Amino acid sequence: MGKKNDGKQLAQNKKASHDYFIEDTYEAGMVLMGTEIKSLRNGRANISDAFATIRNGEIFIHNLHISPFEQGNRHNPTDPTRARKLLLHKAQIHKLLGQSKQEGYSIVPLKIYVRNGYAKLLIGLGKGKKQFDKRDSAAKRDAQRDIQRALREKQKIVR
């Protein structure tokens, strides 16, 4: 039997699907220090401003804010937005490096969750949307919502 939070989504980047076309996703482990995992399990993380970079064959996540754990000890990290190393296979890092060097592509964090007791970060390779793309996506979403509403109304009338 798993832990209480296993498989539970702890944080999500809602702006990512609005600002990027997500083309590929990868599940990465995170190197955490001290009581950061306890703080994550309490849902005290914010990934809306986070981004990933690749340096020296290693991938790091920047601006991922994990609040300090209140009951933590003196070994708590002092900087809540420090750069954290992500754990991926070398082949995946090389593939991401090659794709992210292309014009308009970025490595975007999508969500944080716990699997088998380990904190995982779902990162995606995203191509930035232009303003008209964002308006087009919003129009499609609104049209889909109107269609669903009309179908529900039609089902109510039939009954």
Side-chain angles (χ1 to χ4, degrees), residues 15-21 127-142:
K15 284 175 29 180
S17 62
H18 183 261
D19 293 338
Y20 298 94
F21 293 113
K127 183 169 175 55
K129 284 185 181 179
K130 304 281 191 263
Q131 189 64 35
F132 64 87
D133 289 332
K134 293 179 187 179
R135 283 193 297 264
D136 189 43
S137 294
K140 285 181 183 175
R141 187 175 56 241
D142 291 343

Side-chain angles (χ1 to χ4, degrees), residues 39-109:
S39 192
L40 267 180
R41 287 183 191 274
N42 287 339
R44 311 267 298 147
N46 183 0
I47 62 174
S48 60
D49 297 330
F51 62 95
T53 59
I54 299 176
R55 283 190 313 237
N56 300 331
E58 296 178 332
I59 187 165
F60 292 90
I61 186 87
H62 302 274
N63 285 351
L64 168 63
H65 188 280
I66 299 177
S67 299
F69 190 61
E70 292 85 13
Q71 291 83 33
N73 55 18
R74 63 182 173 183
H75 299 293
N76 263 345
T78 54
D79 184 15
T81 59
R82 68 180 179 84
R84 293 170 178 87
K85 185 176 176 181
L86 298 181
L87 305 173
L88 282 172
H89 292 284
K90 192 168 285 207
Q92 291 175 323
I93 293 174
H94 289 304
K95 186 176 178 184
L96 266 174
L97 179 63
Q99 291 174 332
S100 66
K101 290 290 184 190
Q102 297 175 16
E103 186 67 31
Y105 282 90
S106 305
I107 303 170
V108 183

